[in-house]
Amino acid sequence: MERRTLLKILSALPLAGAAAAQTKRKEVKSVEELQKNWKSLLAEGAAVPSASEPLKLDKEEWRKRLEPASFKVLREEGTERAGTSPLNGEKRAGVFVCAGCGLPLFTSEMKYESGTGWPSFFTTIPGAFQTKKDFLLIYPRTEYHCARCGGHHGHVFDDGPRPTGLRYCNNGVALKFVPA
Ligand SMILES: [Zn+2]
């Protein structure tokens, strides 16, 4: 097609189409931005630990420190019942930190409604998690856990939304929300 013809067609496209194309480009770029600028959603003056200061406790110490439901998920790889977490409906701006050790894991801008009944995210704060394959169900899944305390958070699947296509399916009891 001749360049001039193409330009004519493009200029005839409705503006909504152009705006949608622009949004798409912005969205792709923004994952990196969301990761880089996550601290902009951290409450002012909030002191948060980093993954480079590991928190290692024995099981009994964890049991004393955590609510029973959080202990079951974080330290025994349990799964909370779908739809039970108040964080499913959490829509405020802020940061989700590990309920075990306070490490920042996700921001509110990384969250989306997956309809699964578990808080779901399409990306994470860089360095927040480590992963392993598990075979607790018949098929292999990618388990992820806190890079600082090793606490189990959930599984990551590849049926998430654009632009990452990832779904971090997180147990709500493993998270604490810190409003911005
Ligand atoms: Zn942790």
Side-chain angles (χ1 to χ4, degrees):
M1 191 188 297
E2 239 185 87
R3 187 177 153 78
R4 196 173 300 166
T5 318
L6 177 66
L7 287 175
K8 216 182 275 174
I9 293 172
L10 283 178
S11 64
L13 281 176
L15 274 177
Q22 206 160 27
T23 309
K24 195 158 77 179
R25 273 201 298 280
K26 210 166 132 197
E27 191 187 352
V28 170
K29 191 171 148 210
S30 71
V31 171
E32 282 169 16
E33 274 173 19
L34 294 184
Q35 290 190 322
K36 203 165 71 187
N37 302 325
W38 70 266
K39 280 187 179 157
S40 65
L41 288 161
L42 192 61
E44 212 174 313
V48 289
S50 93
S52 59
E53 324 148 25
L55 180 65
K56 290 214 189 318
L57 299 175
D58 67 34
K59 207 155 184 170
E60 287 318 303
E61 289 173 305
W62 279 119
R63 204 188 295 275
K64 276 182 225 152
R65 193 181 159 111
L66 297 170
E67 295 290 323
S70 302
F71 176 83
K72 185 129 191 57
V73 167
L74 284 163
R75 308 317 309 181
E76 300 191 316
E77 295 200 21
T79 301
E80 75 189 8
R81 207 149 51 81
T84 56
S85 174
L87 293 184
N88 277 318
E90 181 56 73
K91 299 243 181 346
R92 289 173 292 168
V95 174
F96 295 85
V97 304
C98 178
C101 74
L103 185 71
L105 306 171
F106 306 102
T107 67
S108 49
E109 292 179 332
M110 299 171 177
K111 191 171 189 281
Y112 76 102
E113 184 45 70
S114 66
T116 58
W118 289 285
S120 302
F121 305 85
F122 57 84
T123 189
T124 79
I125 289 172
F129 294 113
Q130 293 166 344
T131 61
K132 72 174 198 288
K133 282 263 183 274
D134 83 27
F135 296 86
L136 295 177
L137 297 184
I138 294 161
Y139 57 90
R141 294 182 299 173
T142 304
E143 184 274 348
Y144 63 90
H145 49 273
C146 172
R148 180 168 187 245
C149 73
H152 167 74
H153 276 264
H155 292 85
V156 57
F157 302 94
D158 59 8
D159 58 7
R162 288 185 329 127
T164 61
L166 297 174
R167 171 169 61 96
Y168 286 82
C169 184
N170 214 103
N171 288 279
V173 292
L175 297 171
K176 276 205 166 74
F177 181 66
V178 183

